[in-house]
Amino acid sequence: MTTIESYKTKSGVGVSAQRPDAVPKATGKFSFSSDLSSHNMLWGQTLRSPLPSARIKSIDFSEALAISGVHAILTANDVPGKNLFGLEHPDQPVLADDLIRYAGEPIALVAAEHPEIAANAINAIHVTFEELTPLTDAESAITADPIHPEGNVIRHLKIDHGDPSVTGDLVIEGTYEVGMQDQAFMGTESGMAVPSPDGSVDLYISTQWLHSDQNQIIEALDLPEDMVRLTLAGVGGAFGGREDVSMHVHLCMLALHTGRPVKMIYDRNESFLGHVHRHPAKIWYRHHATEDGQIVKVEGKIILDGGAYASTTSAALANACCFSTGPYRVPNAQIEGWGVRTNNPPCGAMRGFGNVQTCFAIEAQMDKVAKALGIDPVELRLINALEQGDTIITGQKITGAAPVKEVISSLADHPMPGPAENNLLARPGGTGRTTDQKHIKRGVGFAVSIKNLMFAEGFDDSSEALCQVEDGNVAIHTACVEVGQGFITLIHQIAEEVLGTSDITIIPADTSIGSAGSTSASRQTWMSGGAVLKACEAVVVKLIEQIFEDEGVKYENFNGTLVSEDGTKTIPVSEALKGRSFHEKIVHRHAPTFPLNNKGQGDAHVSFAFAAHRAVVDVDQELGLVRIIEIATSQDVGRILNPLQAVGQIEGGITQGLGLAVLEELVMKNGVIQNANFTDYLLPTALDTPPIEIAALIEEPEPGAPFGAKGIGEPPTISSTPAVVAAIRDATGIDLRRVPVRPEDIALE
Amino acid sequence: MIMEVLIASSTEEICELLEQDSSRQLLAGGTDFMVEVNYRHRSPSSVITIDQVPELQNWHHDGDSVVVGSCVTYREIERGPLATLVPALAQAARTVGSPQIRNAGTIGGNIGTASPAGDMIPVLSALGAVISLRSSEGKREVSLEDLIVGVKQTSLRRGEFIESVRVPVLDSPQEFLKVGSRSAMVISVTSLAFITYPKTRSVGIGLGAVNPIPTRAKEAEVFIADFLDWETMQVDPSGIDHFKDLVSAASSPIDDHRSVAAYRRKSIGILAQRALTRVFTEGVL
């Protein structure tokens, strides 16, 4: 494990401050959304379709309603407002009213005195279906009969950059596939809705974006904004899977209908059915390179399977296409992407968002180009690495920090690990004792990634923060959702940086303040961090004004200490605040972005972060078993605000990346998930997770970003996957074109 | 729905409770049972907990064999004296689930669940385990092959339960190998137990997760005997390829969400070869 030493002695930004919820979470004292309870509370449950494509002929819930202790059974007819919701646009029924478009689609809701009674009632609801043939192949969906009134193509995006007639000395073609990964967050979906006598409702929920939820709920409930109030409940991880509405409207409907608080907890099986997954992808590339290794043109076709409803498919496709050529200078590109509807489960946001799929394919292509030209793969990447001032294939110039070469070189220079421990447990197969030393081949793989930070394509992206001082006591309020990433620690650190005290109160995130935007897209440090910074600074400005009015002395703030203009007087801000009150609320925005034009050109993105990963693997080729020995990384971070949390993000992100490389996949059969449980959806265990070596964290401050810090949560997940697969290819010589790599993909080759 | 839970404190009490109502279901470690109950795949109206019955929790060394109570946990099998007496069983127990699962799950439960992927099954099969069954009618002993008659199906009679398992103490090399996609906590894709019987100069090979019922690779066992030198513990390499094929041929695997039949058939042969050559070094006899 990497050890982190504070490189600053002072507190505030830059130190490894411990997160305030660390000990409560480790000792089981933290209250998660599943711990919510209320006097007189009912339990909600959801009836879901077992079929991926069907017409509902009838729903008979008379038997279920007759069960003692059952208080409500609601169907599509009971949705008070529009029976539609959706993160980007509303296209998904709150409850299926006619057509079933995926296996797991909610049909009816139950509220009962006890979860067991609710479950009995669910079993007693009789739905008659007319079974239809599901559309499960994404490629055929482009031209197949529409499964939704809006058609099957959610978005078709073309990027036409440079001269299409250019060809290279070397042409390399490849087709790749990415399986369906799941966020598999630790705490399943849970929440509680509490109705008020005035017909309004309070929803306590684990989510990623309170205000987006609220906007969707009010449409479905047909209530004004102030009648639906959301408060964040303790979140047990998210990774994109909580960005979409799940039980939110259901809970509010049941609570308003019964007049009693209603709580829901999905079990693990329902959780897999109840949230979106990472888009499976089919990707084709043709790379053109000169003999000396310059990539001169890339042609690509990308198909993302969005499943039955749109969710964030449109934005994920934009990411997949805009960054389809990787962190490389590519003067000419013709890219065509489709995000399509099928009767597979809906897919949407997951850490790395669209970049993960194309990075896997592009990095495989780069290795093939390197091999064909006889150039070292690291050297090929250095030859083509983007730099500040370069233009990406959307025609956007990179104006911020782009230390791609530094990231690559520092990682390439990092020492290699030695041989694995000489015991069965340390080899491929682990506890299965399958592999002796003589069966092992070692391989090394290298991959680099680019990730856009924050929302794109002209979205009005903002975050609001309040810094409130009452008689010297400081409180900070945002609607920024803490999903485990550590923003609450940053609030303390930022406040301390400006106000000289970390003794502050954090007001729970809710919808009584303006939107903070989503905790996704590596954006909260920049957006809500920026908002908190500005709000605190606004308080200090007001404080200095007040002191000037009171004393006639002008002060300036130096890291939490006020110094008089003549330098003779100093007073800590925290001291000066005593006995005073302020209320400074500000909205923070990043620089505007713009839509892509019909050639896929435009300044659609705010900022870019880069990372490189090097994986070392031991492979038992005969059995197809892989043991990852080490993953080393260098990452472009702008500036590190909390080294401990930075490393936590990197270790966690890499683990999720290696999960996609060799383990994690929702196995589909005719539109139905075959492994919606932790017995068979295989997350990496401690034995599967190698030491993670941080070769370098490149601190080149990002212009416009608070403290110069770039978001760091997503890049670790993106290029770790292709690095692992490259290492397996290196060990085995097999052209692996699909992730996750399964034992049979190696052993039967 | 009301579920009655009866806590048995002796084997006699289990017999009585089952005699009163043979539909009562037995709960030992609960690592399979409770998952089924929680997901409502099973809704028993009456449950007898048997994990606090001393006779079932213990094991004893009895001459050339050990008798392991049905409620002995994987944890206990995995380490301590049992691991020395029956090493392959310990190796298999180590591959079951997480430490929490191994602290709760029992050998009797693994047999009673009768899953083709049960990790104890190939070892017990290769060891020729004898299962003691008990009911108010008395005791009887059956082989594992006679007890497990199909996927999750046993020949247990009404009111009958698994009391203990008898396996030989051989004091000779044993191997258990298991393939899963993950390094730990994974359901078997294929597994294999390889037991040596120096007295009879024979080997026992139990196959896991490749057949609906417990299976020994009998032809392979007989075939390879001619290629083994028990004095030098060597195997003649000329026999290995056919041995491997015979083991693969003894399997009838399926495609499912965990793997494909072709991989299972291939890997079971590889596991056999590796177990063989771990125990017997290759050398021309």
Side-chain angles (χ1 to χ4, degrees), chain B residues 24 36-37 54-55 104 123 128 139 146 155 175 192-193 196 228 249:
Chain B
R24 286 179 170 150
E36 290 187 31
V37 169
E55 304 100 289
V123 186
K139 280 191 186 196
D146 286 337
S155 59
E175 284 287 333
L192 178 135
T196 55
L228 302 178

Side-chain angles (χ1 to χ4, degrees), chain A residues 120 433 620 623 680 683 747, chain B residues 40 182 258 263 266 274:
Chain A
N120 287 343
R433 310 175 69 259
D620 177 341
L623 284 175
D680 286 316
L683 292 162
Chain B
R40 302 176 77 84
R182 186 158 72 179
R258 294 189 188 123
Y263 175 77
K266 178 175 176 176
R274 291 190 181 179

Side-chain angles (χ1 to χ4, degrees), chain A residues 115-117 119-121 123 267-270 424-425 427-436 438-439 620-627 662-663 667 674-685 687-688 742-744 746-749, chain B residues 1-2 35 37-40 43 87-88 90-92 94-97 102 174-187 189-190 244 255-264 266-271 273-275 277-278 282:
Chain A
E116 281 297 308
I117 299 174
N120 287 343
N123 285 347
D267 63 25
R268 185 55 66 182
N269 174 263
E270 187 171 18
L424 284 163
L425 215 61
R427 297 196 197 115
T431 58
R433 310 175 69 259
T434 51
T435 305
D436 300 314
K438 62 186 174 194
H439 304 121
D620 177 341
Q621 187 162 357
E622 204 180 11
L623 284 175
L625 299 175
V626 176
R627 186 62 175 266
V662 292
L663 290 169
V667 180
Q674 302 297 298
N675 55 338
N677 55 62
F678 277 161
T679 304
D680 286 316
Y681 184 84
L682 300 179
L683 292 162
T685 67
L687 268 187
D688 300 283
R742 300 160 293 204
E744 59 264 33
I746 299 170
L748 298 182
E749 197 46 48
Chain B
M1 192 193 66
I2 305 290
V35 174
V37 169
N38 289 338
Y39 277 107
R40 302 176 77 84
S43 308
Q91 291 161 10
R94 172 66 183 91
T95 72
V96 177
R102 299 201 292 278
Q174 305 182 346
E175 284 287 333
F176 173 83
L177 292 80
K178 164 170 152 181
V179 170
S181 305
R182 186 158 72 179
S183 294
M185 272 178 75
V186 67
I187 306 284
V189 165
T190 52
K244 223 169 126 179
D255 286 336
D256 64 11
H257 58 280
R258 294 189 188 123
S259 191
V260 291
Y263 175 77
R264 287 189 162 110
K266 178 175 176 176
S267 60
I268 195 80
I270 297 167
L271 294 187
Q273 175 190 14
R274 291 190 181 179
T277 56
R278 250 181 222 171
E282 289 178 61

Side-chain angles (χ1 to χ4, degrees), chain A residues 117-190:
Chain A
I117 299 174
N120 287 343
I122 290 287
N123 285 347
I125 300 174
H126 305 290
V127 184
T128 318
F129 297 103
E130 177 194 340
E131 200 169 343
L132 305 171
T133 308
L135 173 65
T136 57
D137 180 60
E139 202 169 345
S140 335
I142 298 172
T143 52
D145 289 342
I147 63 158
H148 189 281
E150 293 180 15
N152 292 346
V153 177
I154 297 166
R155 188 174 189 181
H156 179 209
L157 179 61
K158 276 186 181 179
I159 293 178
D160 187 0
H161 183 70
D163 179 0
S165 69
V166 168
T167 56
D169 304 323
L170 174 77
V171 178
I172 293 281
E173 219 174 309
T175 308
Y176 304 90
E177 220 177 291
V178 177
M180 189 186 288
Q181 191 181 18
D182 191 87
Q183 300 84 356
F185 35 68
M186 294 71 83
T188 60
E189 289 82 350
S190 51

Side-chain angles (χ1 to χ4, degrees), chain A residues 100-113:
Chain A
I100 296 294
R101 296 193 184 86
Y102 74 95
E105 183 148 15
I107 296 171
L109 308 169
V110 170
E113 293 286 347

Side-chain angles (χ1 to χ4, degrees), chain A residues 286-442:
Chain A
R286 186 149 62 201
H287 275 63
H288 297 254
T290 60
E291 273 176 2
D292 59 359
Q294 289 183 51
I295 307 294
V296 291
K297 189 172 81 172
V298 175
E299 299 165 84
K301 291 189 197 301
I302 299 154
I303 301 172
L304 298 186
D305 184 347
Y309 297 104
S311 181
T312 48
T313 294
S314 177
L317 182 74
N319 267 16
C321 292
C322 291
F323 306 102
S324 60
T325 52
Y328 308 115
R329 202 184 304 111
V330 176
N332 308 292
Q334 275 81 49
I335 307 295
E336 195 169 5
W338 291 264
V340 301
R341 276 198 184 81
T342 63
N343 292 118
N344 291 320
C347 290
M350 183 172 173
R351 198 178 200 172
F353 198 63
N355 296 53
V356 165
Q357 291 89 336
T358 40
C359 185
F360 164 64
I362 200 90
E363 289 302 288
Q365 286 286 101
M366 292 299 281
D367 283 344
K368 284 179 189 171
V369 171
K371 194 177 176 190
L373 293 172
I375 298 176
D376 178 78
V378 173
E379 182 58 29
L380 183 83
R381 287 168 168 86
L382 284 171
I383 291 169
N384 292 285
L386 282 169
E387 290 175 24
Q388 191 173 43
D390 280 342
T391 299
I392 62 172
I393 61 168
T394 54
Q396 180 168 0
K397 196 171 179 180
I398 299 180
T399 55
V404 187
K405 285 186 175 163
E406 291 83 344
V407 161
I408 296 172
S409 302
S410 58
L411 179 57
D413 292 345
H414 194 73
M416 294 289 278
E421 272 178 66
N422 187 24
N423 69 64
L424 284 163
L425 215 61
R427 297 196 197 115
T431 58
R433 310 175 69 259
T434 51
T435 305
D436 300 314
Q437 193 59 45
K438 62 186 174 194
H439 304 121
I440 289 177
K441 293 177 180 171
R442 178 156 286 198

